[in-house]
């Protein structure tokens, strides 16, 4: 099973009419028509509404909401309503609230507040999903199920501790195996009874951050357990839905690069991926591209839904800037360019009260259609209507893959040493930016993904090596591909234990190097790295981490320029089979990273159509019928003019462009060129 069947890219979003009087609903739907909104996500936080007491279910209001949306011709993404539990539940069963890392049992309130291991929560949330699905499975308007909402956080209560022990028993079988995996001979941690095992906690001497302690083995497994515990909640609800709805696709909305949940472990259990895009600032174009690609990679390149984005402002941040005119449209098309088969907002009408009353909405408190935000939404709605179904199911023909690995992220960041300043996401973002600026179509994939179709595999900070990954990376190079990795890669096995061999462990043969020492320095310390050869040599800056590389056959393409290791290798390329292993041993600045990445891409002739036009993004999708859609997105406030590389029709204007003819993109402009066959 895959994506919901829709006639075009669904457009709409979260709709909470239970928050306002019914006479407003008429106005809502009139405005939805004006904005071409054809999909509403309903019921995300409806638990208290539909189950006002343990033995009372009352669907009367939800019936009317769903009935109305249906008769107005709108599709419904129907939530199970379990995203926040009601007060009566917390009062009757205090076990359902979470306990935090500091050991404090939370009182009732907010959301993300349910203990994933609580049998009561599990039973009642599953029952709610069962009843919602049972009641509405045959409602013709319902096109998809939305389980929970933005699963996340963690709980450290006694029930979770017990769940953790069960999880550990399943993973390790014996205490001997667990002791070996956790390396408990260190600091007298050897366990002789499962009951001695406790979750990591701030109530220990060496706690290091909001979710980890210096006891790395247990911390890493608790992160894995927490992600799995919430996955069990999702799966429970999905199974309950399946009892009455065998065919409708099920999803839950993810959050992109969200550290607490290993989305790769979740992905097989979702019928389609969806996610909520709330970039940190308006300079996030590259980051959003990466996150879209990561979400598309969850289901093997299958398109995803953009489940939420704000039409204008967020509310939960200290400062909530407004999306400039044109930006919402541009970012919506960016999502489509990267594989979104739905464009949805949070939210359609603004809450009147509570913490999101100032959150942006398609319809504000005054209910006007003559606002800038409504107008831009309505224009996009009309544009998507004209665009029709052409992009549905289209795939990205990527020949470059970037590996993304939650285990490596966790292991790197819970580690004591070499440096807390090296952050996994920052390393990934730097390598991604270089690829993005080069206009490369990219898949961001799990380390377990099939790599046999890629010419280039980029693996930034691949700290942990699991299973046969080293062999599969070697195979990429052996058949003529390029593998690029960086400092702090190949350090630990799946138990977070160092390999008893030279760094970078099992990647050593492929990289043709060994690393004997490494030097971590504060951000103020720069060691210049000289790149290139002959007259083309130039220096870039390197910071934070400097590995001392001893080539074992690799060619040196960059050298440190300072300190006692001046003149030694910082960037290397090794011939391996018909291809190459590239190693970057230090935290190069963006210019340096881009130079390395472009060297790799050039060998495979993989630069995008406009690699030298700043912030002009290009992305290709190929529809099931072979139609090639080239998306061009101008992220700058200045217009840009480029030459069409192939003839085609801009599906947003209907204008033809011939090969070699000039294409003009205004500030924040978008072209979707249907290329001639
Ligand atoms: C998240 C949630 C929504 C809403 C928005 C606000 O994405 O899923 O319920 O709170 O944030 O930005
Ligand atoms: Zn718990």
């Amino acid at each position: 099973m895959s994506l919901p069947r829709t006639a075009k890219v669904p457009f709409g979003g979260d709709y909470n009419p239970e928050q306002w009087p019914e006479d407003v609903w008429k106005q809502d739907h009139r405005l939805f028509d004006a904005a071409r909104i054809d999909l509403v996500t309903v019921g995300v936080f409806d638990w208290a509404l539909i189950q006002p007491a343990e033995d009372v279910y009352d669907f009367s209001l939800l019936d009317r909401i769903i009935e109305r949306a249906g008769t107005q011709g709108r599709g419904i993404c129907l939530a199970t309503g379990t995203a926040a539990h009601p007060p009566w539940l917390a009062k009757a069963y205090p076990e359902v609230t979470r306990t935090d890392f500091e050991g404090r049992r939370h009182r009732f309130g907010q959301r993300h507040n349910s203990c994933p291991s609580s049998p009561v929560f599990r039973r009642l949330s599953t029952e709610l999903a069962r009843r919602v699905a049972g009641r509405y499975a045959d409602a013709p308007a319902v096109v998809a199920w939305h389980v929970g909402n933005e699963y996340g956080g963690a709980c450290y209560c006694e029930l979770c501790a017990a769940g953790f022990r069960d999880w550990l028993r399943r993973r390790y079988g014996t205490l001997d195996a667990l002791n070996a995996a956790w390396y408990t001979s260190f600091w007298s941690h050897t366990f002789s009874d499962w009951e001695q095992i406790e979750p990591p906690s701030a109530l220990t001497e060496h706690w290091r951050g909001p979710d980890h302690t210096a006891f790395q083995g247990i911390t890493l497994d608790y992160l894995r357990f927490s992600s799995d515990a919430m996955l069990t909640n999702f799966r429970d609800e999905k199974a309950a839905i399946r009892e009455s709805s065998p065919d409708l696709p099920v999803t839950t909305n993810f959050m992109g690069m969200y550290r607490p949940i290993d989305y790769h472990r979740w992905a097989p259990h979702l019928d389609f991926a969806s996610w909520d895009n709330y970039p940190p600032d308006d300079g996030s174009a590259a980051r959003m591209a990466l996150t879209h690609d990561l979400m598309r990679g969850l289901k093997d390149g299958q398109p995803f839904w953009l489940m939420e984005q704000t039409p204008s402002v967020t509310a939960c941040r200290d400062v909530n800037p407004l999306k400039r005119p044109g930006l919402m449209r541009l970012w919506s098309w960016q999502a489509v360019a990267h594989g979104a088969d739905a464009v949805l907002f949070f939210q359609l009408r603004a809450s009147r009260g509570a913490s999101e009353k100032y959150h942006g909405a398609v319809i504000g408190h005054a209910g006007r259609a003559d606002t800038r935000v409504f107008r831009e939404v309505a224009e996009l709605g009309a544009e998507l209507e004209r665009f029709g179904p052409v992009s549905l199911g289209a795939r990205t023909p990527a020949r470059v893959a970037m590996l993304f690995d939650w285990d490596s992220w966790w292991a790197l960041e819970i580690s004591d040493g070499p440096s807390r300043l090296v952050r996994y996401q920052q390393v990934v973002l730097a390598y991604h930016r270089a690829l993005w600026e080069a206009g490369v179509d990219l898949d961001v994939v799990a380390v377990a993904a099939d790599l046999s179709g890629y010419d280039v595999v980029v693996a930034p900070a691949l700290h942990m090596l699991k299973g046969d990954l080293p062999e599969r990376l070697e195979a990429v190079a052996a058949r003529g591909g390029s593998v690029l990795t960086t400092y702090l890669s190949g350090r630990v096995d799946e138990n977070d234990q160092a390999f008893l061999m030279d760094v970078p462990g099992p990647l050593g043969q492929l990289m043709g190097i060994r690393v004997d020492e490494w030097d971590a320095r504060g951000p103020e310390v720069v060691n210049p790295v000289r790149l290139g050869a002959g007259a083309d040599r130039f220096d870039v800056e390197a910071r934070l981490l400097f590995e001392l590389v001893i080539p074992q056959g690799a060619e040196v393409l960059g050298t440190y320029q300072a300190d006692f290791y001046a003149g030694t290798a910082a960037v290397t390329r090794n011939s391996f089979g018909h291809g190459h292993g590239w190693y970057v041993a230090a935290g190069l600045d963006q210019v340096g990273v881009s130079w390395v990445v472009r060297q790799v891409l050039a060998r495979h002739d993989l630069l995008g159509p406009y690699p030298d036009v700043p912030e002009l993004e290009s992305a290709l999708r190929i529809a099931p019928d072979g139609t090639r859609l080239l998306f061009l997105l101008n992220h700058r406030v200045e217009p840009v003019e480029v030459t069409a590389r192939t003839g085609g029709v801009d599906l947003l204007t209907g204008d033809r462009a011939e090969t070699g003819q000039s294409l003009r993109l205004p500030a924040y402009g978008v072209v979707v060129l249907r290329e001639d066959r």
Side-chain angles (χ1 to χ4, degrees), residues 119-401:
V120 172
F121 170 73
R122 291 186 60 186
R123 176 168 60 79
L124 291 174
S125 57
T126 305
E127 182 58 21
L128 192 69
R130 178 176 294 116
R131 295 207 182 215
V132 169
R135 190 167 186 94
Y136 302 111
D138 296 326
V142 177
V143 299
W145 299 109
H146 179 300
V147 174
N149 190 64
E150 295 191 336
Y151 280 93
C155 179
Y156 301 85
C157 76
E158 284 305 321
L159 293 166
C160 285
F164 183 42
R165 288 178 207 117
D166 289 342
W167 184 93
L168 293 168
R169 272 194 205 94
R170 286 195 299 277
R171 183 177 174 86
Y172 295 109
T174 66
L175 274 178
D176 283 349
L178 174 139
N179 280 314
W182 287 359
Y183 204 68
T184 53
S185 48
F186 180 77
W187 284 354
S188 200
H189 275 139
T190 306
F191 293 100
S192 56
D193 188 323
W194 295 94
E195 292 305 310
Q196 295 159 359
I197 299 168
E198 299 207 54
S201 165
L203 302 173
T204 55
E205 191 60 32
H206 294 290
W207 69 282
R208 299 288 198 228
D211 60 2
H212 63 284
T213 71
F215 193 165
Q216 290 172 200
I218 202 167
T219 296
L220 178 62
D221 271 346
Y222 203 78
L223 286 160
R224 290 167 168 162
F225 157 76
S226 284
S227 177
D228 280 1
M230 283 177 266
L231 173 57
T232 303
N233 297 160
F234 171 83
R235 294 180 65 187
D236 286 349
E237 288 196 38
K238 184 178 177 189
I241 289 169
R242 282 284 170 261
E243 292 169 18
S244 54
S245 174
D247 303 323
L248 278 187
V250 179
T251 193
T252 181
N253 45 341
F254 287 157
M255 291 179 278
M257 282 187 282
Y258 178 66
R259 201 175 86 147
I261 305 264
D262 183 345
Y263 290 145
H264 287 132
R265 284 176 70 86
W266 281 57
H269 304 283
L270 275 64
D271 296 316
F272 68 106
S274 64
W275 85 285
D276 301 345
N277 183 23
Y278 295 98
D281 54 47
D282 45 16
S284 299
R287 183 198 176 93
M288 292 187 291
L290 163 59
T291 323
H292 289 310
D293 291 347
L294 174 68
M295 296 292 103
R296 191 186 70 245
L298 293 177
K299 300 289 292 177
D300 229 354
Q302 173 184 295
F304 58 89
W305 273 23
L306 177 63
M307 189 63 90
E308 294 182 22
Q309 63 170 340
T310 177
S312 53
V313 292
T314 54
C316 63
R317 302 191 168 136
D318 288 350
V319 176
N320 298 278
L322 183 60
K323 283 185 183 171
R324 271 46 204 163
L327 217 48
M328 180 278 292
R329 169 179 180 258
L330 174 68
W331 290 0
S332 299
W333 281 111
Q334 185 191 30
V336 175
H338 286 270
D341 269 4
V343 173
L344 307 171
F345 297 104
F346 183 91
Q347 51 197 333
L348 296 187
R349 179 185 273 272
S351 302
R352 185 177 179 191
S355 72
E356 289 177 350
K357 67 178 179 297
Y358 295 135
H359 195 288
V362 173
I363 307 168
H365 296 139
R368 305 187 74 95
D370 57 353
T371 63
R372 176 187 68 85
V373 169
F374 187 87
R375 227 174 9 247
E376 287 194 25
V377 168
E379 281 163 15
L380 178 61
E383 202 167 42
L384 283 167
E385 193 171 271
R386 289 194 303 275
F387 189 67
V390 60
S391 65
L392 295 179
R395 298 269 176 157
T396 301
R399 291 165 62 200
V400 179

Side-chain angles (χ1 to χ4, degrees), residues 456-484:
V456 174
V457 176
V458 180
L462 183 61
H463 198 64
M464 181 181 288
L465 293 178
K466 293 173 283 193
D468 62 353
L469 179 60
E471 290 80 29
R472 290 186 296 114
L473 290 172
E474 285 183 352
V476 171
R479 63 174 160 75
S482 299
V483 177
L484 165 61

